[in-house]
Amino acid sequence: MLTLSGAKSAAASAARGGHFLFNWPLLALVALGLSGCMTATTHVAGADPADPAAKVARAGYRSTVAPYDSLRPATPAPWRDRNDSVAPQPKQDR
């Protein structure tokens, strides 16, 4: 059958250093035939996105830089006091 479609065997073609050839019209015909076996598409989304009456969630604004505190004009302090202010507190039960 492969010899009738114009394609050569892969082993013989590889032995001669050639490439395996496709018969593109035959491939297109097979793809067209198999496309009829596909299932029908289903409605996955809820509402039509183009419908102006569709209910959507409100768009909220939240600043990405709102919790930012500038530390540039920090007053000089002894490093031990700064370190103790941010270090975890020791547990009292031990």
Side-chain angles (χ1 to χ4, degrees):
M1 171 99 181
L2 287 176
T3 57
L4 294 176
S5 65
K8 301 173 185 172
S9 71
S13 178
R16 289 190 303 265
H19 297 287
F20 184 71
L21 299 175
F22 284 127
N23 189 349
W24 293 107
L26 180 64
L27 183 64
L29 184 65
V30 170
L32 184 65
L34 289 176
S35 67
C37 298
M38 293 181 59
T39 60
T41 58
T42 58
H43 189 74
V44 179
D48 183 18
D51 183 15
K55 295 187 185 261
V56 294
R58 292 188 63 91
Y61 173 76
R62 188 173 57 166
S63 175
T64 56
V65 293
Y68 173 73
D69 292 326
S70 176
L71 299 177
R72 291 266 179 194
T75 58
W79 67 269
R80 187 170 300 273
D81 294 340
R82 294 243 178 185
N83 192 26
D84 290 341
S85 69
V86 295
Q89 300 298 325
K91 296 188 178 186
Q92 300 296 331
D93 61 339
R94 292 186 185 199

